[in-house]
Amino acid sequence: MKVLGIESSCDETAVAVYDAERGLLSHALHSQVKLHAEYGGVVPELASRDHVRYLLPLANQALVKAGVDKSELGGIAYTSGPGLVGALMVGASAGRALAFTLNIPAVAVHHMEGHLLAPMLEHPAPAFPFIALLVSGGHTLLAEVRGVGQYQILGESLDDAAGEAFDKTAKLLGLGYPGGPVLAKLAELGRSGTYQFPRPMIDRPGLEFSFSGLKTFTLTSFQAALQKGGDEQQIKADIALAFEEAVVDTLMIKCRRALQQTGINRLVVAGGVGANRRLRQVLKDMTARQGGEVFYPRIEFCTDNAAMIAYVGCLRLMAGETEPLAIHVRARWPMTQLATLNP
Ligand code: KG4
Ligand code: ZN
């Protein structure tokens, strides 16, 4: 079965073609970073309009790259949530209408399930069961994954998501949008040990996260350092590094705890913050010390993309899941509501 996947939940328009037999055939993406940059964050109405502009040309591009004609498609998969409702509506309407005109089934895909299963597009793919660390702009959670649709949430962020903490901290340091990659780049120039930042909630049992206090700590440290004087660029770089180290360390400690608690030795890391090089290295070292293994999607599939949507859509379509004709999107959608697929 060949599936066209559509992603439009936030600030990336993306389309991909996945073939159940041959794997990923193509993927195309348009990022709205430049569009939102001058506002310092995503403007929902602008995002929706830009999805309208780019979606169909990208769909054509993905089909041409895959060498697949529309008539060969066996189904359409689109992100139906969680995300910005207007943005989701663009992908869902286009996807549902396309499936209707081609007289093929459509399936609604959960964006976070897409992230979670994105490492399945790599070789070697992780085997079930595994522990998943999902770290994106909107979510931070640890889950025990026993199969497709079998997600037991072990811990979540009580406040800001990890990506959100990166974005907000970058903003208060006067860095650009999107904050995560910009802050990580600046941290490369930082001197380790100049500032000591706390590792939130590691002294308590459990697998919950909290990052908003760290953001406040960063702001006070930054203001104090500016008052003392010195090279502002170096201060920013040192603080960026101290912040990044604190987030990465905290995530590592909680992942280690989840592995030890469940006795599972495979860790999967997905979502935008999974593109962070320090996080990738620290988790690789930690799992190796534990005699386990860590799996990541390639960097470009850590952040939003349609390859993961086409892949999950293909699994669910092949299991007989379909979406009725009504176009339905969800701003919120708990992952625990997803149907389990029989292996
Ligand atoms: O998964 P994603 O593309 O979108 C959501 O579903 O939220 O994640 C975007 C988030 C943003 O907060 C961005 O700042 C963060 O991932 N991010 C990073 C890096 N690349 C993206 N955070 C830290 N380091 C990075 N290299
Ligand atoms: Zn995402």
Side-chain angles (χ1 to χ4, degrees), residues 7 9-12 82 111-112 115 135-139 162-167 178-185 244 270-277 302-305 308:
E7 158 62 34
S9 65
C10 189
D11 56 352
E12 252 103 31
H111 181 78
M112 299 312 290
H115 275 305
V135 269
S136 71
H139 295 78
E164 192 180 359
F166 266 97
D167 294 338
V182 183
L183 189 146
K185 183 111 196 62
E244 187 186 44
V273 183
N276 185 280
R277 290 184 191 277
C302 280
T303 44
D304 291 348
N305 66 86
M308 63 187 194

Coordinates of all heavy atoms in Angstrom, one line a residue, residues 7 9-12 82 111-112 115 135-139 162-167 178-185 244 270-277 302-305 308, ligand 1:
E7 N 1.4 16.8 6.9 CA 1.6 17.3 8.3 C 1.4 18.9 8.2 O 2.1 19.5 7.3 CB 3.0 17.0 8.7 CG 3.6 17.9 9.8 CD 2.9 17.9 11.1 OE1 2.3 16.9 11.5 OE2 2.8 19.0 11.7
S9 N 0.5 20.7 11.5 CA -0.1 21.0 12.8 C 0.5 22.3 13.4 O -0.1 22.9 14.3 CB 0.3 19.9 13.8 OG 1.6 19.7 14.0
C10 N 1.6 22.8 12.9 CA 2.2 24.0 13.5 C 2.8 24.9 12.4 O 2.1 25.4 11.6 CB 3.2 23.6 14.6 SG 3.7 25.0 15.5
D11 N 4.1 24.9 12.4 CA 4.8 25.9 11.4 C 5.6 25.2 10.3 O 6.5 25.8 9.8 CB 5.6 26.9 12.2 CG 6.7 26.2 13.1 OD1 6.6 25.0 13.2 OD2 7.5 26.9 13.7
E12 N 5.3 24.0 10.1 CA 5.9 23.3 8.9 C 4.8 22.6 8.1 O 4.0 21.9 8.6 CB 6.8 22.2 9.4 CG 8.3 22.5 9.3 CD 9.0 22.9 10.6 OE1 8.5 22.4 11.6 OE2 9.9 23.7 10.6
P82 N -2.4 16.6 18.1 CA -2.7 17.9 18.7 C -2.0 19.0 17.9 O -0.9 18.7 17.3 CB -2.3 17.8 20.1 CG -1.2 16.7 20.2 CD -1.5 15.8 19.0
H111 N -0.1 13.5 16.0 CA 1.2 14.1 15.7 C 2.3 13.5 16.6 O 3.4 13.2 16.2 CB 1.1 15.6 16.0 CG 2.4 16.3 15.7 ND1 2.8 16.6 14.4 CD2 3.3 16.8 16.5 CE1 4.0 17.3 14.5 NE2 4.3 17.4 15.8
M112 N 2.0 13.3 17.9 CA 3.0 12.8 18.8 C 3.3 11.3 18.6 O 4.4 10.8 18.8 CB 2.6 13.0 20.3 CG 2.4 14.5 20.6 SD 3.7 15.5 20.1 CE 5.0 15.0 21.2
H115 N 5.8 11.4 15.9 CA 7.2 11.6 16.5 C 7.7 10.3 17.2 O 8.9 9.9 16.9 CB 7.1 12.7 17.6 CG 7.2 14.1 17.0 ND1 8.3 14.5 16.2 CD2 6.4 15.2 17.1 CE1 8.1 15.8 15.9 NE2 7.0 16.2 16.4
V135 N 10.3 14.8 23.3 CA 10.6 16.1 23.7 C 10.4 17.1 22.6 O 11.3 17.2 21.7 CB 12.1 16.2 24.3 CG1 12.2 16.0 25.8 CG2 13.0 15.3 23.6
S136 N 9.3 17.8 22.6 CA 9.0 18.7 21.5 C 8.7 20.1 22.0 O 8.9 20.3 23.2 CB 7.8 18.2 20.7 OG 6.7 18.3 21.4
G137 N 8.2 20.9 21.2 CA 7.8 22.3 21.6 C 6.6 22.3 22.5 O 6.5 23.2 23.4
G138 N 5.8 21.3 22.4 CA 4.5 21.3 23.2 C 4.5 20.2 24.2 O 3.6 20.2 25.1
H139 N 5.3 19.2 24.1 CA 5.2 18.0 25.0 C 6.6 17.6 25.5 O 7.6 17.7 24.8 CB 4.6 16.8 24.3 CG 3.2 17.0 23.9 ND1 2.9 17.8 22.8 CD2 2.1 16.6 24.4 CE1 1.6 17.8 22.6 NE2 1.0 17.1 23.6
A162 N 10.1 20.8 27.2 CA 11.5 21.1 27.1 C 11.8 22.1 26.0 O 12.6 23.0 26.1 CB 12.3 19.8 26.9
G163 N 11.1 21.9 24.8 CA 11.4 22.7 23.7 C 10.9 24.2 24.0 O 11.5 25.2 23.6
E164 N 9.8 24.2 24.7 CA 9.2 25.5 25.1 C 10.2 26.3 26.0 O 10.4 27.5 25.9 CB 7.9 25.2 25.8 CG 7.0 26.4 26.1 CD 5.8 25.9 26.9 OE1 5.6 24.7 27.1 OE2 4.9 26.8 27.2
A165 N 10.8 25.5 26.9 CA 11.8 26.1 27.8 C 13.0 26.6 27.0 O 13.5 27.7 27.3 CB 12.3 25.0 28.8
F166 N 13.5 25.9 26.0 CA 14.5 26.4 25.1 C 14.1 27.7 24.5 O 14.8 28.6 24.4 CB 14.9 25.3 24.1 CG 16.0 24.4 24.4 CD1 15.8 23.1 25.0 CD2 17.3 24.8 24.2 CE1 16.8 22.3 25.3 CE2 18.4 23.9 24.6 CZ 18.1 22.7 25.1
D167 N 12.9 27.6 23.9 CA 12.4 28.8 23.1 C 12.3 30.0 24.0 O 12.7 31.1 23.7 CB 11.0 28.5 22.5 CG 11.2 27.4 21.4 OD1 12.3 27.2 20.9 OD2 10.2 26.7 21.1
P178 N 13.5 30.0 15.8 CA 13.1 29.3 16.9 C 14.3 29.1 17.9 O 15.4 28.9 17.5 CB 12.7 27.9 16.3 CG 13.5 27.8 15.1 CD 13.7 29.2 14.6
G179 N 14.0 29.2 19.2 CA 15.0 29.3 20.2 C 15.9 28.2 20.4 O 17.1 28.3 20.6
G180 N 15.4 26.9 20.3 CA 16.1 25.7 20.6 C 17.4 25.7 19.8 O 18.5 25.7 20.4
P181 N 17.4 25.6 18.4 CA 18.6 25.5 17.7 C 19.5 26.7 17.8 O 20.7 26.6 17.9 CB 18.1 25.4 16.2 CG 16.6 25.3 16.2 CD 16.1 25.5 17.6
V182 N 19.0 27.9 18.0 CA 19.8 29.1 18.1 C 20.6 29.1 19.4 O 21.8 29.3 19.5 CB 18.9 30.4 18.1 CG1 19.8 31.7 18.1 CG2 18.1 30.5 16.8
L183 N 19.8 28.7 20.5 CA 20.5 28.6 21.8 C 21.6 27.5 21.8 O 22.7 27.7 22.4 CB 19.4 28.4 22.9 CG 19.9 28.5 24.4 CD1 18.8 29.0 25.2 CD2 20.3 27.1 24.9
A184 N 21.2 26.4 21.2 CA 22.2 25.3 21.2 C 23.5 25.7 20.4 O 24.6 25.4 20.8 CB 21.6 24.1 20.5
K185 N 23.3 26.5 19.4 CA 24.5 26.9 18.6 C 25.3 27.9 19.4 O 26.6 27.8 19.5 CB 23.9 27.7 17.3 CG 24.9 28.2 16.3 CD 24.8 27.3 15.0 CE 26.0 27.5 14.1 NZ 27.3 27.1 14.7
E244 N 21.5 24.6 28.8 CA 21.5 23.4 28.0 C 21.9 22.2 28.8 O 21.3 21.1 28.8 CB 22.3 23.6 26.7 CG 22.1 22.4 25.7 CD 23.1 22.5 24.5 OE1 24.3 22.8 24.7 OE2 22.6 22.3 23.4
A270 N 12.6 11.1 20.6 CA 11.9 11.7 19.4 C 11.4 13.1 19.8 O 11.3 13.5 20.9 CB 10.8 10.8 19.0
G271 N 11.1 13.9 18.7 CA 10.6 15.3 18.9 C 11.7 16.2 18.7 O 12.9 15.9 18.7
G272 N 11.3 17.5 18.5 CA 12.3 18.5 18.1 C 13.6 18.6 18.9 O 14.7 18.8 18.4
V273 N 13.4 18.5 20.2 CA 14.6 18.7 21.1 C 15.6 17.5 20.9 O 16.7 17.5 21.2 CB 14.2 18.8 22.6 CG1 15.4 19.1 23.5 CG2 13.2 20.0 22.7
G274 N 15.0 16.4 20.3 CA 15.8 15.2 20.0 C 16.9 15.5 19.0 O 17.8 14.8 18.7
A275 N 16.8 16.7 18.3 CA 17.8 17.1 17.4 C 19.0 17.7 18.1 O 20.0 18.0 17.5 CB 17.2 18.2 16.4
N276 N 18.9 18.0 19.4 CA 20.0 18.6 20.2 C 21.2 17.6 20.3 O 21.0 16.5 20.8 CB 19.4 19.0 21.5 CG 20.5 19.7 22.3 OD1 21.4 19.1 22.9 ND2 20.4 21.1 22.3
R277 N 22.3 18.1 19.8 CA 23.5 17.2 19.7 C 24.0 16.8 21.1 O 24.4 15.7 21.3 CB 24.6 17.9 18.9 CG 24.2 17.9 17.5 CD 25.3 18.5 16.6 NE 24.7 18.7 15.3 CZ 24.5 17.8 14.3 NH1 25.0 16.5 14.6 NH2 24.0 18.1 13.2
C302 N 13.5 14.5 13.4 CA 13.2 14.8 14.8 C 12.2 15.9 14.9 O 11.2 15.9 15.6 CB 14.5 15.3 15.5 SG 15.6 14.0 16.0
T303 N 12.4 17.0 14.1 CA 11.4 18.1 14.0 C 10.3 17.7 13.1 O 10.3 16.6 12.5 CB 12.1 19.4 13.5 OG1 12.9 19.0 12.4 CG2 13.0 20.0 14.6
D304 N 9.3 18.5 13.0 CA 8.0 18.1 12.3 C 8.3 17.8 10.8 O 9.1 18.4 10.2 CB 7.0 19.3 12.4 CG 6.5 19.5 13.8 OD1 6.8 18.6 14.6 OD2 5.9 20.5 14.1
N305 N 7.7 16.7 10.4 CA 7.8 16.2 9.0 C 6.6 15.4 8.7 O 5.8 15.0 9.6 CB 9.1 15.4 9.0 CG 9.1 14.2 9.8 OD1 8.6 13.1 9.3 ND2 9.5 14.2 11.1
M308 N 6.9 10.7 9.1 CA 6.4 10.0 10.3 C 4.9 9.9 10.2 O 4.3 8.9 10.7 CB 6.8 10.8 11.6 CG 6.3 12.2 11.7 SD 7.0 13.0 13.2 CE 5.9 14.4 13.3
Ligands
KG4_1 O1 8.7 18.5 17.3 P1 8.9 19.9 16.9 O2 9.4 20.2 15.6 O3 7.5 20.6 17.0 C1 6.5 20.3 17.9 O4 5.8 19.3 17.7 O5 6.5 21.0 19.0 O6 9.7 20.6 18.1 C2 10.1 21.9 18.0 C3 10.8 22.3 19.3 C4 11.1 23.8 19.4 O7 10.8 24.1 20.8 C5 12.6 23.9 19.1 O8 13.1 25.0 19.8 C6 13.1 22.6 19.6 O9 12.1 21.6 19.2 N1 14.4 22.3 19.0 C7 15.6 22.2 19.7 C8 16.6 21.9 18.7 N2 16.0 21.8 17.5 C9 14.7 22.1 17.7 N3 15.8 22.3 21.0 C10 17.1 22.2 21.4 N4 18.1 22.0 20.6 C11 17.9 21.8 19.2 N5 19.0 21.5 18.4

